[in-house]
């Protein structure tokens, strides 16, 4: 596989930001060809800035960016945006209100100076693109006469029409309502697969990130704190911050009681003293644990099991009381009090509990993630 | 109360218009066009529409208006771009300096340029003559265009810069990521997006430039270059002989058509199509262009403009006010420096009366206009009646009617109507309220539209009657806009020359008409002294206005 985008030690501080910390501290990552790469992080962590640096809309203070073999940003070189082989979709669509749908999509083709297209060729390409996103019938409409979802498709078509090397997406779904967002998510993935275009996607929404990406980089305060495949991030977050960002989580504070030996899977059994009692966890990290050190344990609500009666033969079973049950259709979300701790537990609808019911909570040791501190 | 306001508006706008139209086709050989014994005639219409003189006047009016418009827009757009979109140094100061001349009445600008550029002893001409052996005659169409353009730049700049600032930078970013170079972005994205705002400003300023009498009187009359506004004025106030109101009214009608045409075209092209409906979404401020090594040279050019258009005219006024008779700048003239003008100008009753009248006019007009505007705007915004559009149109009309036409119509109306206000300051008050009510309505309409209806409904549900809702809820909430609008109208009223001149008589002299009087009479030193006094007053008000509101991107 070849590397389509290479970002090295990117650093940027806005001139107008005064003595605030830099928008991007020190960011490096590679995106393989045809991959869907996501920058995930809370608002203000520097995702947009990073993306705008790749696009050339911001000139970073430091670092190097390569698109394919072309160095577009380095201390010596800076390729202006319109000479970079990119397509970009903006958060609020940015379709031009003074042009029709057709003209919006044709614009990038008309801007190509090296290989000028004839009118017929432009028409064919634009119509093929509009066909692909299902908007051919709106060709003659003004961009202002489209709904939000249609504007979003239009701006996607405009970004893709000149078949760019790299597609940059800045929270393209965040302005849509929930139902439309889910639909566009699927469609985006399908189109990206079909066209095989290397994509950098920026979002603060964990579902978008998990469902669309080949690779996710989680950003916090201008830096990448963890990078990996969606499953790794979800099941093996390396910090409480990442764990919470990619999905709902219970985080329980405790202290190391004892450290077991490494088994054949490379796991160690940790016994952790918590306010619920002793919790046994399978630790896969290469962290060095010392007895008595404080730590916290992350458990996903859906990996917890709920029983009506005690199953004393299994490990990590705790008695609790149901405080709240929220029926949300595909499952039920319970709040269960175990001693002083409120646990979020998500179970199939077939498992039925009432408020105030006694419940036995089972936490499989393989589903616990342990962090320092 | 609202109904009274609507009635007043209808009276203010419709009455004069009716008189104007009929005066063009009624004639009385011995008196006023509509007085007893008048008869129907097409004579005036024939005279005006068939004479070649009319088309000569029309030609010079168009050249004057379009020329000054073009120049003012080129200058304003350049400044707007430099200040909003580049890293030119001292941007905030440049902004203030470009807007500052808005405190100087156009009449005074014209007088100072006559002092700078007249062919015999204009200061700039003295310098040009001495070095390059050329002179530039201010008493010519190019001279008039130049000075009118200088006068229009502050407001044009404010209008343009506001829209440039509020443009969404992401739309330009999107073009850049589509492969468009900077020049292409300006041509294909920025300018088309600004078009509605630019056209709006263009038309507004077009009406301003065809209606104003200041520059054509000072610079056009000496060399007999008539434009429509001065033709109307001359027929109503001939230097000798009897006024011909019928002819004047017909010319007024002609000018009305000229101003209405573009306005209607604009409305049809943009107002209704929804083509430029604003798009929602987060707005990102556009990036500033790095001027690189052009940064300092461009700044020097910009400052050069400020010196020529603002500082030089002020200096020459002060100079002229210190001379017994104006004869350019020289060592000999320096020796003649005297405070004679400053001490003698106060003699006689006219100067104190003019200052008193000016302040009275400004205060009364601004208060009346804004009170009326608030009521009308509230009706327009809140009323659920199908007939609101009529009111909207009525309130909008004065915006399209040139001031000189309003002046003429009001003059005709109160010559006929037996109200004892002809010749008093109150006739100017009525005319100015008519002229400014559309500006006031627009300002207050915007303010009231932002006010949520639930605020009023909550007050009503709390048991407050309408009167108390007005005083306890509505007014406190819109007060900043109200004060801002009142100050704007106050400024405009004090600077306005057209209406005081059209409606002048000895008893209602104000500063602007007095300055013109002294200048026309051949007393440049006194005109200069009064100009300095007036600039001091208006610039103070302008400073209060800009300082108080900070961001008055109105009109
Ligand atoms: N044009 C700008 N000028 C100054 N500061 C900015 C600008 N754009 C973003 N920032 C700041 O930089 C930081 C990162 O912003 P951004 O990259 O937009 O974050 P994200 O896209 O992750 O929400 C934020 O603190 C933001 O306030
Ligand atoms: Mg962002």
């Amino acid at each position: 596989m070849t590397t389509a985008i290479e970002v090295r030690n990117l650093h940027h501080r806005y001139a107008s930001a005064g003595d605030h910390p830099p928008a991007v501290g020190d960011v490096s990552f590679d995106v393989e060809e045809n991959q869907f790469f996501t920058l995930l992080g809370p608002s203000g962590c520097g995702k947009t800035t990073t993306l705008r640096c790749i696009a050339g809309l911001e000139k970073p203070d430091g670092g190097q960016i390569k698109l394919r073999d072309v160095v577009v940003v380095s201390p010596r070189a800076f390729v202006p945006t319109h000479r970079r082989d990119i397509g970009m979709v903006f958060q609020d669509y940015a379709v031009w209100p003074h042009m029709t749908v057709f003209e919006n999509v044709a614009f990038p083709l008309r801007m190509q100076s090296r290989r000028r297209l004839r009118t017929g060729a432009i028409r064919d390409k634009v119509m093929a693109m509009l066909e692909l996103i299902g908007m051919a019938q709106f060709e003659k409409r003004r961009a202002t006469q489209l709904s939000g979802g249609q504007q979003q498709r239009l701006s996607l078509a405009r970004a893709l029409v000149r078949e760019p090397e790299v597609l940059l997406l800045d929270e393209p779904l965040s302005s849509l309502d929930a139902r439309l967002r889910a639909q566009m998510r699927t469609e985006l993935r399908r189109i990206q697969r079909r066209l095989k275009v290397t994509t950098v996607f920026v979002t603060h929404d964990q579902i978008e990130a998990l469902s669309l990406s080949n690779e996710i980089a989680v950003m916090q305060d201008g830096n990448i704190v963890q990078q990996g495949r969606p499953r790794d991030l979800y099941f093996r977050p390396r910090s409480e911050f990442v764990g919470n960002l990619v999905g709902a989580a219970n985080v329980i504070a405790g202290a190391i009681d004892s450290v077991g030996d490494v088994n054949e899977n490379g796991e160690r059994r940790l016994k952790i003293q918590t306010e619920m009692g002793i919790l046994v966890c399978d630790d896969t990290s290469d962290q060095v644990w010392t007895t008595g050190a404080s730590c916290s344990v992350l458990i996903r609500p859906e990996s917890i099991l709920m029983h009506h009666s005690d199953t004393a033969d299994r490990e990590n079973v705790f008695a609790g009381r149901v405080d709240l049950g929220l029926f949300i259709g595909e499952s039920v979300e319970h709040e269960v009090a175990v001693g002083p701790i409120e646990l979020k537990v998500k179970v199939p609808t077939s498992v039925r509990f009432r408020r105030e019911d006694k419940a036995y909570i089972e936490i499989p040791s393989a589903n616990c993630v342990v962090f320092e501190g | 109360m609202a109904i009274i306001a609507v009635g007043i508006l209808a009276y203010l706008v419709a009455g004069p218009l009716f008189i104007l139209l009929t005066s063009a086709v009624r004639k009385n050989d011995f008196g006023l066009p509509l007085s007893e014994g008048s008869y129907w005639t097409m004579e005036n219409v024939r005279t005006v529409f068939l004479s070649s003189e009319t088309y000569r006047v029309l030609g010079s009016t168009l050249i004057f208006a379009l020329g000054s418009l073009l120049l003012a827009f080129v200058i304003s757009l350049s400044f707007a771009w430099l200040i909003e979109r580049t890293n030119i140094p001292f941007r905030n100061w440049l902004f203030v300096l470009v807007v500052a001349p808005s405190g100087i009445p156009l009449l005074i600008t014209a007088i100072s340029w006559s002092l700078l550029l007249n062919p015999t002893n204009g200061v700039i001409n003295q310098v040009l003559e001495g070095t390059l052996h050329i002179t530039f005659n201010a008493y010519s169409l190019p001279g008039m265009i130049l000075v009118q353009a200088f006068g229009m730049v502050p407001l044009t700049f404010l209008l343009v810069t506001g829209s440039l600032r509020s443009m969404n930078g992401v739309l330009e970013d999107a073009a850049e990521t589509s492969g468009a170079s900077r020049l292409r972005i300006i041509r294909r994205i920025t300018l088309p997006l600004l078009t509605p705002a630019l056209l709006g400003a263009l038309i507004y300023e077009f009406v301003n430039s065809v209606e104003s009498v200041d520059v054509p009187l000072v610079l056009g009359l000496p060399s007999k270059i008539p434009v429509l506004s001065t033709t109307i004025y001359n027929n109503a106030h001939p230097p000798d002989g009897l006024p011909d109101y019928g002819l004047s009214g017909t010319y007024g009608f002609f000018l009305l058509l000229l101003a209405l045409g573009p306005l209607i075209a604009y409305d049809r092209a943009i107002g209704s199509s929804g083509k430029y409906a604003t798009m929602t979404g987060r707005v990102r401020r556009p990036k500033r262009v790095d001027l690189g090594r052009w940064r300092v040279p461009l700044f020097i050019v910009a400052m050069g403009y400020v010196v020529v258009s603002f500082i030089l005219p002020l200096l020459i006024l002060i100079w002229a006010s210190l001379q017994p008779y104006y004869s350019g700048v020289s060592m000999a003239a320096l020796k003649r420096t005297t405070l004679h003008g400053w001490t003698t100008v106060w003699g006689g009753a006219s100067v104190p009366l003019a200052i008193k009248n000016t302040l009275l006019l400004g205060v009364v007009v601004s208060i009346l206009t804004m009170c009326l505007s608030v009521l009308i705007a509230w009706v327009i915004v809140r009323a659920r009646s199908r007939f609101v559009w009529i009111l909207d149109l009525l309130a909008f009309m004065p915006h399209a009617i040139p001031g000189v036409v309003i002046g003429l119509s009001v003059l005709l109306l109160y010559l006929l109507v037996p109200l004892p206000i002809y010749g008093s300051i109150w006739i100017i008050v009525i005319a100015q309220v008519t002229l400014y009510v559309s500006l006031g309505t627009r300002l207050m309409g915007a303010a009231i539209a932002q006010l949520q209806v639930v605020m009023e409904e909550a007050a009503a549900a709390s048991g407050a009657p309408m009167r108390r809702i007005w005083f306890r809820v509505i007014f406190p909430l819109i007060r900043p806009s109200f004060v801002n609008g009142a100050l704007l109208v106050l400024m405009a009223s004090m600077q306005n020359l057209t209406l005081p001149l059209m409606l002048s008589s000895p008893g209602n002299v104000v500063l602007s008409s007095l300055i013109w009087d002294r200048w026309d009479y051949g007393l440049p030193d006194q005109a200069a002294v009064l100009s300095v006094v007036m600039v001091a007053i208006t610039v103070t008000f302008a400073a209060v206005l800009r300082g108080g509101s900070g961001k008055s991107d109105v009109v």
Side-chain angles (χ1 to χ4, degrees), chain A residues 135-373:
Chain A
M135 292 218 4
Q137 73 271 34
F138 297 128
E139 170 200 3
K140 295 208 169 60
R141 285 248 189 123
R142 286 215 164 271
T144 39
Q145 297 166 332
L146 300 177
S147 70
Q150 290 166 335
Q151 288 189 29
Q152 194 53 63
R153 285 159 198 266
L154 172 58
S155 80
L156 183 62
R158 182 179 67 189
L160 288 170
V161 72
R162 58 173 179 162
E163 292 158 29
E165 198 74 60
V166 171
L167 176 65
L168 305 172
L169 306 168
D170 188 3
E171 311 221 11
L173 307 179
S174 66
S175 306
L176 306 177
D177 63 56
R179 193 173 294 271
L180 205 53
R181 191 164 3 174
Q183 186 189 335
M184 277 299 288
R185 201 164 62 213
T186 322
E187 205 160 329
L188 187 60
R189 186 58 169 146
R190 194 162 39 227
I191 291 173
Q192 194 266 344
R193 282 266 161 77
R194 169 109 58 99
L195 300 180
K196 296 198 172 39
V197 54
T198 312
T199 302
V200 180
F201 177 76
V202 159
T203 186
H204 66 264
D205 182 299
Q206 87 265 13
I207 298 182
E208 287 171 18
L210 294 173
S211 59
L212 291 170
S213 322
N214 299 113
E215 180 96 356
I216 300 174
V218 176
M219 287 188 74
Q220 181 183 17
D221 298 336
N223 290 298
I224 293 180
V225 288
Q226 189 174 351
Q227 182 179 335
R229 291 176 308 140
R231 273 165 202 281
D232 295 339
L233 284 181
Y234 192 79
F235 292 116
R236 295 285 159 227
R238 279 207 298 269
S239 64
E240 193 180 325
F241 172 80
V242 175
N244 273 317
L245 192 70
V246 296
N250 296 294
V251 179
I252 299 163
I256 304 288
D257 188 63
S258 69
V259 183
D261 290 330
V262 180
N263 68 9
E264 66 272 21
N265 297 333
E267 293 164 353
R268 274 171 306 183
R269 310 220 86 197
L270 296 177
K271 286 210 166 112
I272 294 169
Q273 181 67 52
T274 71
E275 284 178 302
M276 303 189 301
I278 292 281
L279 188 62
V280 182
C281 305
D282 295 340
D283 177 45
T284 50
S285 69
D286 39 18
Q287 189 89 39
V288 179
W289 298 108
T290 49
T291 314
S294 65
C295 62
S296 43
V297 184
L298 180 140
I299 309 147
R300 299 274 173 219
E302 71 277 8
S303 60
I304 302 178
L305 305 173
M306 259 172 108
H307 306 289
H308 280 286
S309 52
D310 196 359
T311 43
D313 53 328
R314 309 220 207 157
E315 65 179 6
N316 285 351
V317 174
F318 305 94
R321 183 176 42 84
V322 177
D323 267 351
L324 200 63
L326 297 179
F327 174 77
I328 55 167
E330 80 238 21
S331 58
V332 185
E333 293 176 358
H334 288 106
E335 296 262 338
V336 181
V338 182
I341 292 178
E342 283 280 340
L343 281 181
K344 292 191 281 272
V345 183
K346 192 169 173 178
V347 292
T349 36
S350 53
V351 183
R352 306 195 67 156
F353 279 88
R354 280 176 207 281
R355 218 156 75 81
E356 305 291 336
D357 275 358
K358 209 164 163 55
Y360 293 88
I361 295 298
E362 180 185 350
I363 302 173
S365 61
N367 294 341
C368 299
V369 186
V370 189
F371 314 120
E372 229 180 342

Side-chain angles (χ1 to χ4, degrees), chain B residues 55-99:
Chain B
Y55 294 96
R56 201 172 73 84
V57 171
L58 180 64
S60 54
T61 304
L62 284 179
I63 295 175
F64 168 65
L66 297 179
S68 51
L69 214 53
L70 183 69
L71 190 56
F73 267 77
V74 169
I75 296 172
S76 304
L77 272 174
S78 311
F79 267 108
W81 185 74
L82 281 176
I83 292 173
E84 288 300 328
R85 290 299 182 81
T86 72
N87 61 348
I88 197 163
F90 303 110
R91 293 187 283 271
N92 293 340
W93 280 105
L94 266 183
F95 186 96
V96 172
L97 285 174
V98 175
V99 175

Side-chain angles (χ1 to χ4, degrees), chain A residues 14 16-17 23 42-49, chain B residues 284:
Chain A
Y14 287 101
S16 58
S43 169
C45 71
K47 310 176 297 285
T48 298
T49 307
Chain B
R284 193 179 182 99

Side-chain angles (χ1 to χ4, degrees), chain A residues 14 52 57-58 81-82 86 88 90-92 94-99 107-108 110-111 142 144 151 158 162, chain B residues 170-171 173-181 184 188-189 192-193 274-277 279 281-282 284 287:
Chain A
Y14 287 101
R52 287 173 69 87
L57 293 168
E58 285 318 321
T81 301
H82 67 278
I86 55 173
M88 183 158 174
F90 295 84
Q91 188 165 7
D92 292 295
V95 300
W96 297 304
H98 59 300
M99 297 182 191
F107 187 87
R110 297 197 205 284
M111 291 301 118
R142 286 215 164 271
T144 39
Q151 288 189 29
R158 182 179 67 189
R162 58 173 179 162
Chain B
V170 175
L171 295 174
D173 289 346
E176 209 174 338
T177 60
S178 301
S181 62
R184 279 180 157 184
R188 300 284 307 265
I189 307 290
L193 284 173
K275 175 175 172 185
Y276 292 99
M279 314 267 294
R282 256 144 300 192
R284 193 179 182 99
K287 288 176 298 179

Side-chain angles (χ1 to χ4, degrees), chain B residues 335-500:
Chain B
K335 291 213 186 73
R336 285 196 294 269
T337 304
T338 167
L339 283 174
H340 185 256
W342 282 91
T343 48
T344 52
V345 79
W346 312 102
S350 53
V351 173
L353 179 67
I355 293 183
K356 194 187 111 217
N357 275 345
T358 305
L359 295 176
L360 180 72
L361 182 69
V363 170
V364 172
V365 165
S366 60
I367 292 176
L368 282 185
T369 305
M370 291 316 289
C371 289
L372 189 60
S373 301
V374 154
L375 289 173
I376 294 168
W378 186 77
V379 175
I380 292 177
V381 174
R382 290 282 187 263
R384 299 193 179 86
S385 159
R386 274 179 298 134
F387 300 106
V388 168
W389 67 268
I390 299 179
L391 191 59
D392 211 0
L393 184 74
L394 267 183
F396 176 76
M397 275 302 278
H399 174 66
I401 309 175
V404 60
V405 175
I406 291 182
L408 178 64
S409 320
V410 170
L411 177 69
L412 289 173
L413 184 64
Y414 293 102
L415 282 173
L416 289 166
V417 177
L419 279 178
I421 65 165
Y422 178 77
S424 75
I425 190 79
W426 299 104
I427 192 167
I428 307 181
V429 168
I430 290 181
Q432 287 197 338
V433 170
T434 313
L435 183 63
Y436 298 129
V437 77
S438 66
L439 171 65
T441 314
R442 283 178 76 167
L443 291 175
M444 295 325 294
I448 292 177
Q450 282 173 1
L451 202 73
Q452 289 174 317
V453 192
V454 286
M455 304 253 187
E456 290 161 43
E457 289 170 348
S462 315
M466 204 60 222
R467 179 171 41 85
R468 309 207 56 183
I469 297 179
W470 264 97
F471 283 104
R472 300 297 296 273
V473 178
I474 300 179
F475 192 72
L477 287 172
I478 57 174
R479 200 177 52 196
S481 311
F482 187 91
V483 172
N484 188 26
L487 280 170
L488 265 179
V489 173
L490 178 72
M491 279 278 297
S493 157
M494 292 197 305
Q495 297 195 14
N496 181 272
L497 170 66
T498 309
L499 292 176

